[in-house]
Each structure stands twice: as structure tokens, then as C-alpha cells.
Amino acid sequence: MGHTLSFLLGREQITGNGELGEIVERSLLGMYRGGLWDHLGRGFCRYSTDSRWLVPHFEKMLYDNALLLMAYADGYASTKKTLFADVCKGIAGYVAEYLTDDSGVFYSAENADSEGEEGRFYVFTRKEFREIVDTRYSAMLEEYFGVEDAGNFEHGKNILHVALNPEQWRARHGLSEANADSLLEATRLALKNTRSKRVHPSLDDKILASWNGLII
């Protein structure tokens, strides 16, 4: 609930209680690194079903993304961490690409199911993952995105997430930050392009004034 995090940051500013800021920063980082964030198409799913932020309810709501855009903007203002600014841009980019009507107003949601199965659009088996990514780096990319042979979700499928500390991952494989960013961006693009050929979850194209107010 993004407004709760924004409230806690405001409370920290008033009281000087640094623990509140630490709670928010840890939460913002955990939500981004988990499967709650769509690491290919951007945007946040509705909520997590577990304490690791790994398995989401795959529906994406306009109002959740609006409130989290505010929360990550507040997080960036408080910490100056560029990751939080990047998440803000990612949310805005997702809404522009998938939830914006031709007239410039905003749709309500993308549903969770496609082809009768929740999350089917978003997940990959290890075999599918390996067929898409650069084979020279497949093992290290599986490590980064938490791809397992048995899967971390239903039916041997994997929810992509940041499975370990990115700094430690770069150091383990001798990658500079620039080289790692380039590899990960190319990988995300290849995975997204393949995913785009699947049956996309249906769109809830209601246009609600209150939710539009939040995202605006």
C-alpha cells in the first residue's frame, strides 16, 4: 500500500525517527526485487501472496501503480537512490504503454489470467529461458533472475525476480556495472519480445475519474 510508505517517510521527517526510513527503504527495495515488479514489461502487480515478495497476484491495477509511483518518488527524494527514480520511470512507462487510451486518459487494469491460467503470460520454464537468452551467459542470468530447473512457481515455471544482491552478483562474475546493465537490458528485451507473442492478459478498459486523478 504505497500511501502507507509515503506516510511513514513523512512521519520520519517530522519525528527524526530514522528507523521509519529504513523500513520504507527495505520495503521499496524488496518489492522491486521480487516478482511483484514485472522485470520485463514494468509496472507492479496487485499484491504479493508470500513474505518474500516473490509470488504476486498477477493483476495490475492503475491505482496501485499510481500510489507506488508516489511512494517511490518519495523514496527517491528521501534517499537519492537512483534505483527508486528508475522505478518511477518504469511505472510511468508501463502506464503509457499498456494503460493509456488514445485520448490520453487511463484504463483501470490488466487482468491476471490468460488462456485460463493465472500468471501464464509472465512465467518461464528453465528450458524456455535458456532458449531465449545469450547461451554464453545463461548460467549467470539464471542465477540473477532466480530461474530454477524445478521452477519457483506452479507447473515448473519461474517468476523472474532479482534473486541476489546485484553488487555481489557483479563481483562474483567480474562484471563492471556498465557491462552488467548492458547484459541485463539485452536479456530483458529478448525475454519481453518472446513474451509479447503470447496471449496477453485482457484489459479492463473502464476509465475511472478518481483513479485517473491518482495517476495524473
Side-chain angles (χ1 to χ4, degrees), residues 38 40-47 57-65 91 93-100 106-114 118-119 121-122 192 195 198-206 211:
D38 180 357
L40 306 184
R42 304 162 299 176
F44 280 100
C45 296
R46 191 170 192 181
Y47 55 81
H57 174 46
F58 287 91
E59 189 175 20
K60 291 180 177 177
M61 308 297 295
L62 180 66
Y63 72 88
D64 283 321
N65 279 282
I91 294 172
Y94 162 71
V95 170
E97 185 172 0
Y98 294 103
L99 294 182
T100 303
F106 304 101
Y107 301 129
S108 292
E110 287 190 296
N111 293 313
D113 298 4
S114 58
E118 180 171 346
F121 178 76
Y122 296 100
K192 183 183 178 185
R195 193 179 77 171
R198 299 174 176 175
V199 176
H200 201 282
S202 59
L203 179 70
D204 181 348
D205 61 1
K206 290 194 306 294
W211 294 8

Side-chain angles (χ1 to χ4, degrees), residues 5 23-33 71-72 75 84:
L5 301 174
I23 290 170
V24 173
E25 184 175 345
R26 190 160 61 246
S27 297
L28 293 174
L29 187 62
M31 288 191 293
Y32 164 75
R33 288 184 176 176
Y72 277 87
F84 295 159

